[in-house]
Amino acid sequence: MGFQTDAIHAGQNPDPVTGAVSTPIYMTSTYAQDELGVHKGYEYGRTHNLTRQSLEKNIATLEKGKYGIAFSSGLSAENAVLGLVKAGDHLIVSNNVYGGTYRLFELIMKDYGLDFSWIDTSNPKNVENAIKENTKIVYIETPTNPMLNLTDIRAISKICKDNNLICVVDNTFMTPYFQNPLVAGADVVIHSTTKYLNGHCDVVGGMLITNDDKLHERFRYLQNAVGAIPSPFDCWLTLRATKTLAVRMKQHQENAMKIAEYLQTQSYAKKVIYPGLPSHPQYELAKKQMSGFGGMISVDFGEFETAKKIMNNIKVFTLAESLGGVESLVCHPASMTHASVPKEEREKLGLTESLVRFSVGIEDVEDLIADIEQAVKKL
Ligand code: P1T
């Protein structure tokens, strides 16, 4: 089936009892058993929930995967990935990832005996060179948050296959509409469904997707044993949202392209980073690896004061953490989403105090550009 057909139908069948077309929200913590040891396959809410199963099947289908395993946040999904390794193991990770990912890996899990190498994965050679005896996972984010650096998923997946490593890709920024890492050879896809998949800034959630039976078995075990599960209502909201993912992503990207092209002509915007601009250093890879460029733009305004004034004066864009909602947001990565990353590390990546991240929503683009113009007039 095509993407939009799957988005609307995969994982969803009319309710067998009433014929309800919209998947019911099964708000129950437990299930009646017919007699001891005889039940309908549903025993306890943490372990089984039909609304959650529908969402898992839906997103797995969009990612061209066999299995989806839902979590209560993107970070709890990431934590389940770390449940594949044990003390003494080594992981290679993209040197620019969401700040919370850095915090979980480097500031928490390192104390439990995991070793992380933070590598510029945009050059596959760097990944090959970083492999050690005890390396188990290569974890990449592409495009990265917020520098929008790309990593060649095919090249990294091949290195992983050749070295018996697990390749994990955070596909939050692109969504399955623009990029399918499993098709490119990755073993696991991770999403913060909080972002584009849910798309309305009203749910926090996460998802892992894989084709591998063994990985699925382990993730399913961890989902139940650790218990970081999303509520049935949150699953239902996200299931409702993926139905419009394709139309939303088209509009996010159309708006983002127009804004990026506009900002590029403005002298106050010292550096405009958007994978859809030919000036992006990995524009060729972007065209090859993704079927679109997404809705995220990062702009370096050169001076912190300029960046601050724009963020404080902008009106249609809301100054807030997060991204991927229908409403446009603006954020200051250095003090907000990436505050956990040491300043020296941030500066090495170009994640400066004057960098502003725009999550372009699906409002009328003329209003968004006029909003930036009015904020800049106050400089
Ligand atoms: O917030 P949560 O659902 O736990 O997801 C974490 C996460 C994982 N991966 C990426 C690429 C992300 O961007 C995030 C969360 N990011 C933000 C909250 C943000 O504003 O960048």
Side-chain angles (χ1 to χ4, degrees), residues 14 39 48 61 67 84 91 95 213 222 278 296 302 317 356 364 379:
H39 53 75
H48 305 116
T61 306
Y67 307 110
L84 298 174
L91 296 89
N95 60 355
D213 295 344
L222 288 163
M296 301 300 295
F317 282 85
V356 174
D364 293 300
L379 288 176

Side-chain angles (χ1 to χ4, degrees), residues 268 301 306-314 358 375-376 379:
Y268 57 81
F301 289 103
T306 311
K308 186 175 157 189
K309 280 189 187 138
I310 291 172
M311 286 183 284
N312 286 344
N313 288 321
I314 209 152
F358 294 84
V376 168
L379 288 176

Side-chain angles (χ1 to χ4, degrees), residues 7-306:
I8 291 163
H9 296 287
Q12 296 164 86
N13 296 307
D15 174 46
V17 178
T18 64
V21 167
S22 165
T23 302
I25 307 169
Y26 284 90
M27 290 298 282
T28 187
S29 61
T30 192
Y31 303 87
Q33 308 202 1
D34 298 334
E35 55 182 273
L36 199 58
V38 180
H39 53 75
K40 298 179 172 63
Y42 293 85
E43 291 171 274
Y44 185 56
R46 174 164 27 76
T47 328
H48 305 116
N49 182 278
L50 200 142
T51 320
R52 190 170 82 219
Q53 287 168 351
S54 291
L55 176 67
E56 290 175 337
K57 183 76 199 151
N58 182 258
I59 295 180
T61 306
L62 299 183
E63 275 292 5
K64 319 279 183 230
K66 227 158 119 183
Y67 307 110
I69 309 95
F71 294 88
S72 54
S73 66
L75 278 173
S76 55
E78 291 179 27
N79 198 43
V81 168
L82 299 183
L84 298 174
V85 293
K86 53 185 188 327
D89 287 342
H90 172 246
L91 296 89
I92 296 168
V93 191
S94 299
N95 60 355
N96 173 212
V97 288
Y98 165 56
T101 304
Y102 178 86
R103 181 177 54 203
L104 173 65
F105 289 14
E106 189 68 21
L107 306 182
I108 299 178
M109 297 313 288
K110 202 173 162 182
D111 289 344
Y112 289 81
L114 296 181
D115 180 21
F116 299 95
S117 292
W118 299 90
I119 300 293
D120 176 3
T121 54
S122 65
N123 181 353
K125 270 266 164 281
N126 294 341
V127 174
E128 250 172 346
N129 293 339
I131 297 172
K132 302 190 205 175
E133 280 278 291
N134 56 343
T135 306
K136 293 284 166 15
I137 289 176
V138 178
Y139 188 104
I140 59 178
E141 201 177 281
T142 181
T144 63
N145 180 359
M147 300 312 298
L148 303 168
N149 298 325
L150 306 188
T151 290
D152 185 334
I153 302 171
R154 266 179 211 283
I156 302 299
S157 300
K158 174 150 190 342
I159 293 170
C160 287
K161 290 262 164 342
D162 293 347
N163 292 277
N164 202 22
L165 309 176
I166 300 167
C167 177
V168 181
V169 180
D170 187 328
N171 197 27
T172 298
F173 271 33
M174 276 302 111
T175 83
Y177 185 66
F178 286 137
Q179 178 169 275
N180 289 123
L182 295 181
V183 176
D187 300 297
V188 180
V189 168
I190 175 160
H191 277 285
S192 167
T193 55
T194 316
K195 313 298 187 259
Y196 290 105
L197 288 174
N198 181 64
H200 295 74
C201 290
D202 50 15
V203 172
V204 173
M207 183 75 69
L208 297 177
I209 304 102
T210 184
N211 276 316
D212 186 284
D213 295 344
K214 278 225 166 66
L215 291 175
H216 168 245
E217 201 179 307
R218 177 72 179 156
F219 290 146
R220 188 65 69 194
Y221 180 81
L222 288 163
Q223 182 192 43
N224 180 54
V226 177
I229 47 137
S231 78
F233 184 55
D234 285 356
C235 291
W236 183 83
L237 280 171
T238 309
L239 195 54
R240 184 180 210 253
T242 57
K243 291 179 177 34
T244 57
L245 182 65
V247 286
R248 284 187 284 112
M249 292 314 292
K250 278 183 213 163
Q251 198 59 45
H252 280 297
Q253 115 133 343
E254 196 182 309
N255 284 2
M257 184 65 98
K258 283 191 182 142
I259 292 176
E261 281 171 347
Y262 163 77
L263 282 168
Q264 231 189 183
T265 64
Q266 305 300 306
S267 59
Y268 57 81
K270 302 293 177 226
K271 190 172 175 195
V272 180
I273 311 169
Y274 181 63
L277 291 178
S279 59
H280 189 285
Q282 293 162 296
Y283 180 58
E284 291 308 317
L285 176 60
K287 282 193 294 185
K288 204 171 79 182
Q289 171 156 288
M290 293 130 59
S291 58
F293 307 109
M296 301 300 295
I297 305 172
S298 290
V299 182
D300 199 324
F301 289 103
E303 300 281 340
F304 172 63
E305 280 307 315
T306 311

